[in-house]
Amino acid sequence: MPVFAYKGRSSRGDLVQGSLEGADSGAIADQLLNTGITPTEIKVTTQSVRSSSNTEVSLWKRLTTEKKVDVMELMLFSRQMYTLLKAGVPIMRALAGLQESTQNPAFAAMLQDLRESLDSGRELSAALRRHPKVFSPFYLSMVQVGEMTGMLDETFLRLYEHLEFEKDMKDRIKSAVRYPMFVVIAMAIAIVIVNIFVIPAFAKVFEGFHAELPLMTRILMGFSTFMVDTWPILLALLIGAAVAFRSWINTVDGRYKWDHYKLNLPIAGRIIMKATLARFARSLALSFKSGIPIVQGLNSVAMVVDNEFMRSRVEQMRDGVERGESILRTASTTGVFNPTVLQMIAVGEETGDMDGLMFEIAGMYEREVEYEIKSLSANIEPIMIVTLGGLVLVLALGIFLPMWDLGKAALH
């Protein structure tokens, strides 16, 4: 099929140019008019020119679009697509309207690519698949099912609700770990400042008295001297450890072990575990409700769960279902669901209401996550108070006790 280069004007009067495949110039003109572009020039071009242009456009999109479209913009896109399609607006006109209204050039470039893909005869799910860093496999599967069932508008509404839930869970996890991380970092900074600046000043005072110092004071002074003399080495080791840890968790085995360890942390682990299970349950319920086959749904949900350990358990469930096992049996063998959840899954299989029961499971875990976050401060504060009290006690024994002894000696 020949390739035509075109120039035209958008509904706002902006100059638009590009290339499209078509039977003749009339077909190209019809495609452009359907997208709201009034053609001013259409001429045949060579395939090589088109390939070069596509390469440049693809590179530009990889550098700008797919790395700069955030979750909030994707949520807004899903909600707007639902509203426009529900109102009967054709999909090409809907995309054109969103492209004109967006303030993000990267997002506008992605919408332009979607329109060109639809112009060339691709389905919407295939056009979205060209941007894997923006649209997850779960998102693509939902859109594909929406196209097959003729319920694309409802699919975008469910995707909006799903993305909103995902963002809420991530925000809750961040808020749960923010407080303890802040306290730990503050304590580490305080220890460094005391050992590098405070203790050396007291050490000079103690040396002037030429008296025997208590054991705790000698330990603190020795540790302070060690930090002052070797702080460049310690800083280099700290940076090297951070880089090594980052490299380790980027490996398959490292990511799996770290994600498994996070679920077993003393306090935050429960929150992360329940939030991850809530995301799994809601995603699976949404796939069931949209009519996605169970194996395909589990495969898509495995990509949504942002934890390699949980992903391996979901893939284990998928493999069991492929072998003909029930969802209850595969879920029980993973070892991550409590008996209450397993009982609800059993009832869902018996009644055929798996989507409803999975929504109930997700709601149960969401309420538990909310409760755990509210009680997080109460659980952490005693630990922090004891730790801070221990540090103050060590400093008091190491610094003020010898000053007290020297003061008494001076009085006598």
Side-chain angles (χ1 to χ4, degrees):
M1 187 175 294
V3 178
F4 294 84
Y6 67 86
K7 293 182 180 179
R9 296 283 178 179
S10 66
S11 58
R12 291 167 33 178
D14 299 329
L15 178 64
V16 180
Q17 58 184 353
S19 58
L20 289 173
E21 292 181 353
D24 51 30
S25 58
I28 299 299
D30 291 338
Q31 293 184 39
L32 294 174
L33 291 172
N34 289 334
T35 59
I37 298 176
T38 302
T40 58
E41 180 182 349
I42 300 176
K43 60 182 180 180
V44 179
T45 184
T46 61
Q47 184 67 34
S48 58
V49 173
R50 177 177 174 85
S51 298
S52 175
S53 175
N54 278 348
T55 301
E56 294 176 0
V57 171
S58 178
L59 177 61
W60 174 252
K61 286 170 183 170
R62 285 198 301 268
L63 294 176
T64 59
T65 304
E66 296 182 351
K67 294 182 180 179
K68 296 183 180 179
V69 178
D70 57 20
V71 177
M72 289 299 297
E73 288 174 323
L74 189 57
M75 289 173 56
L76 184 62
F77 167 77
S78 302
R79 183 71 186 188
Q80 290 174 330
M81 286 296 294
Y82 161 73
T83 303
L84 293 170
L85 294 178
K86 189 73 174 178
V89 178
I91 187 169
M92 293 298 297
R93 189 181 301 173
L95 291 174
L98 295 180
Q99 182 181 353
E100 291 181 1
S101 62
T102 185
Q103 301 297 319
N104 186 349
F107 192 61
M110 187 197 71
L111 293 175
Q112 177 64 28
D113 180 74
L114 295 181
R115 294 171 59 192
E116 292 177 357
S117 298
L118 293 176
D119 273 339
S120 62
R122 292 189 179 94
E123 295 180 343
L124 179 60
S125 57
L128 298 177
R129 194 169 285 112
R130 291 166 53 87
H131 304 273
K133 293 183 180 180
V134 178
F135 302 101
S136 66
F138 182 78
Y139 197 104
L140 297 174
S141 298
M142 290 285 294
V143 172
Q144 187 174 13
V145 172
E147 289 176 325
M148 295 169 58
T149 58
M151 299 175 60
L152 195 57
D153 52 348
E154 295 294 332
T155 299
F156 276 114
L157 176 61
R158 293 170 185 171
L159 284 171
Y160 166 77
E161 295 172 348
H162 170 74
L163 292 172
E164 185 180 35
F165 166 76
E166 289 280 302
K167 184 177 182 300
D168 180 62
M169 281 291 102
K170 290 181 179 180
D171 291 343
R172 289 186 180 186
I173 293 176
K174 289 180 181 179
S175 65
V177 300
R178 185 179 295 118
Y179 175 69
M181 288 297 297
F182 173 78
V183 174
V184 170
I185 292 173
M187 290 173 57
I189 294 175
I191 292 174
V192 172
I193 293 175
V194 168
N195 280 279
I196 293 181
F197 299 103
V198 178
I199 294 180
F202 281 98
K204 293 179 181 179
V205 176
F206 295 153
E207 289 176 359
F209 289 101
H210 302 289
E212 185 179 357
L213 299 175
L215 176 62
M216 183 61 68
T217 304
R218 295 198 301 270
I219 293 175
L220 285 176
M221 291 177 60
F223 184 71
S224 174
T225 303
F226 172 76
M227 287 193 65
V228 171
D229 294 339
T230 62
W231 71 265
I233 300 176
L234 294 176
L235 181 61
L237 290 175
L238 181 62
I239 296 175
V243 172
F245 175 75
R246 189 73 178 177
S247 301
W248 177 67
I249 63 175
N250 285 333
T251 63
V252 176
D253 184 62
R255 170 59 65 178
Y256 177 86
K257 291 181 179 179
W258 171 241
D259 286 345
H260 190 196
Y261 175 75
K262 286 192 299 185
L263 300 178
N264 296 314
L265 290 173
I267 297 176
R270 296 199 306 267
I271 300 176
I272 297 174
M273 177 65 138
K274 292 175 181 179
T276 303
L277 290 174
R279 294 173 63 190
F280 160 77
R282 182 170 287 272
S283 301
L284 190 59
L286 191 57
S287 66
F288 284 151
K289 190 176 183 65
S290 301
I292 299 177
I294 181 172
V295 175
Q296 182 182 350
L298 287 171
N299 189 60
S300 300
V301 170
M303 299 297 176
V304 175
V305 177
D306 190 19
N307 187 287
E308 288 298 326
F309 176 77
M310 287 298 300
R311 181 174 300 171
S312 67
R313 294 300 180 265
V314 176
E315 292 174 350
Q316 179 182 338
M317 292 180 60
R318 178 202 62 195
D319 296 339
V321 172
E322 284 182 330
R323 292 192 300 267
E325 300 178 5
S326 64
I327 301 178
L328 174 62
R329 180 177 177 82
T330 57
S332 61
T333 55
T334 60
V336 296
F337 298 101
N338 60 42
T340 303
V341 174
L342 294 176
Q343 184 177 0
M344 294 176 71
I345 292 176
V347 173
E349 282 192 307
E350 291 177 2
T351 60
D353 187 26
M354 278 298 299
D355 54 342
L357 268 296
M358 293 304 291
F359 275 124
E360 290 292 333
I361 293 172
M364 182 185 70
Y365 278 125
E366 289 172 35
R367 289 188 293 271
E368 291 187 7
V369 168
E370 186 175 359
Y371 173 77
E372 292 282 356
I373 292 175
K374 289 181 179 179
S375 61
L376 180 64
S377 298
N379 294 330
I380 291 179
E381 283 177 359
I383 301 175
M384 298 302 174
I385 291 174
V386 171
T387 304
L388 290 174
L391 290 176
V392 172
L393 178 62
V394 169
L395 292 175
L397 292 177
I399 295 177
F400 299 108
L401 183 60
M403 295 180 64
W404 176 262
D405 293 339
L406 291 174
K408 289 194 298 182
L411 291 176
H412 291 293

